[in-house]
Amino acid sequence: MRRRLLINAARGYGQFLGVVLSLAHRVGGGNLPAGPASTAGVLVAAHVAIATVWFGPLGLVIAGTAGVAAGIVARLRIRHRPLCDEERQTAELVFGPAGWLDDVILTDLAGRRGRAFTVPGVDGRILCNLGAMFDAPLGAGPAAYPVPGQLLVHELVHARQIVGARSVASFLADALAVQARHELGENVYGIRGTGDAHHAWADHNLERQATIVDRWFGGQSSPIGRPMDPDSPFAASIAKVRAQVGAPAGTGRAAVRRRLDASGSGV
């Protein structure tokens, strides 16, 4: 019972974050400066507003001030940049010439225990937060990502999931629920064997989908250890990831904007 409550709470919080980002985007968030500062400011303001709304207009002023301050701190403390040419070329080996790669912003922000994570931004871009891997995303990552570029590919799968989601709220709800299950001890990342290749793509949770792709990229799921093995049992899954979604290359931001403005649930 407690486990279910925690997972549902995480899912609800993800929905809340998604609604905040969508509403902020609709009222002009898409015109805010690129990078994590705008998103940080909006999210901080929304959280403070919950506590200060009882003060009426003064509460909104307090929330707005907190949001501006958070944005300034984020701008000064968090480094960010788009994919460089080499990183883009590596990504296209997996995802093809995807337009949404135009909207990926790498940052040096990290989550709990230094872990990388990917979230939608209020400006319509996608923030891949790589922590210590920010300066060398094509290098070998932590123990679970030993092949150069493997961690980047894992996080880019999440970017692809954001673009393909019916809404930002649905993606964040699912993402936080999966992370809650992970924190509660469930193995949400692991591939259970080649039998997983016969499951429908949508039957895998968000992290297992990313693991399937990054293991294919690194060769760990290949019977002969070949990176990006075209004969891998997971080749059909990779084809789904490479399928065109959103706008063509060079116009990716519009695709993410449409997803930010969409309603619905499910990834």
Side-chain angles (χ1 to χ4, degrees):
M1 182 66 176
R2 177 176 173 272
R3 174 187 174 86
R4 181 177 298 178
L5 286 174
L6 289 172
I7 294 173
N8 287 339
R11 183 178 296 278
Y13 183 57
Q15 287 275 5
F16 163 73
L17 295 178
V19 169
V20 168
L21 291 176
S22 295
L23 289 176
H25 182 81
R26 290 182 182 183
V27 298
N31 298 318
L32 293 173
S38 301
T39 300
V42 166
L43 291 179
V44 167
H47 285 79
V48 173
I50 294 174
T52 61
V53 67
W54 315 110
F55 298 112
L58 176 60
L60 295 179
V61 171
I62 294 172
T65 301
V68 170
I72 292 173
V73 171
R75 188 178 301 278
L76 294 174
R77 298 290 299 274
I78 302 174
R79 293 184 295 156
H80 67 278
R81 61 177 178 82
L83 294 168
C84 72
D85 289 344
E86 187 178 3
E87 292 157 359
R88 177 68 178 250
Q89 290 166 7
T90 299
E92 289 184 351
L93 293 175
V94 179
F95 303 99
W100 55 264
L101 291 171
D102 300 334
D103 299 322
V104 170
I105 300 293
L106 307 183
T107 89
D108 65 352
L109 189 64
R112 286 190 64 191
R113 297 186 290 272
R115 291 170 55 193
F117 67 102
T118 296
V119 293
V122 71
D123 58 356
R125 294 180 172 86
I126 303 170
L127 305 174
C128 286
N129 306 290
L130 301 181
M133 294 296 296
F134 173 77
D135 291 314
L138 295 182
Y145 309 96
V147 176
Q150 190 170 0
L151 175 63
L152 176 63
V153 167
H154 183 99
E155 294 306 318
L156 288 176
V157 175
H158 293 318
R160 168 65 171 77
Q161 291 164 341
I162 290 170
V163 175
R166 291 179 60 189
S167 72
V168 165
S170 67
F171 170 81
L172 289 174
D174 284 351
L176 267 66
V178 170
Q179 285 305 311
R181 288 161 53 193
H182 170 69
E183 294 294 335
L184 291 170
E186 182 178 342
N187 181 10
V188 299
Y189 289 83
I191 301 175
R192 295 159 295 192
T194 56
D196 271 350
H198 303 294
H199 290 269
W201 182 245
D203 290 343
H204 300 297
N205 68 58
L206 299 179
E207 292 298 349
R208 185 162 289 128
Q209 288 180 352
T211 297
I212 287 171
V213 178
D214 82 58
R215 296 299 185 267
W216 172 82
F217 174 81
Q220 291 99 329
S221 63
S222 168
I224 58 175
R226 178 183 177 184
M228 296 181 285
D229 187 353
D231 297 320
S232 165
F234 293 95
S237 296
I238 304 306
K240 292 182 181 298
V241 173
R242 291 178 63 89
Q244 182 69 39
V245 62
T251 57
R253 193 175 180 194
V256 181
R257 280 182 169 175
R258 287 197 295 273
R259 295 317 190 279
L260 275 163
D261 290 336
S263 60
S265 61
V267 175

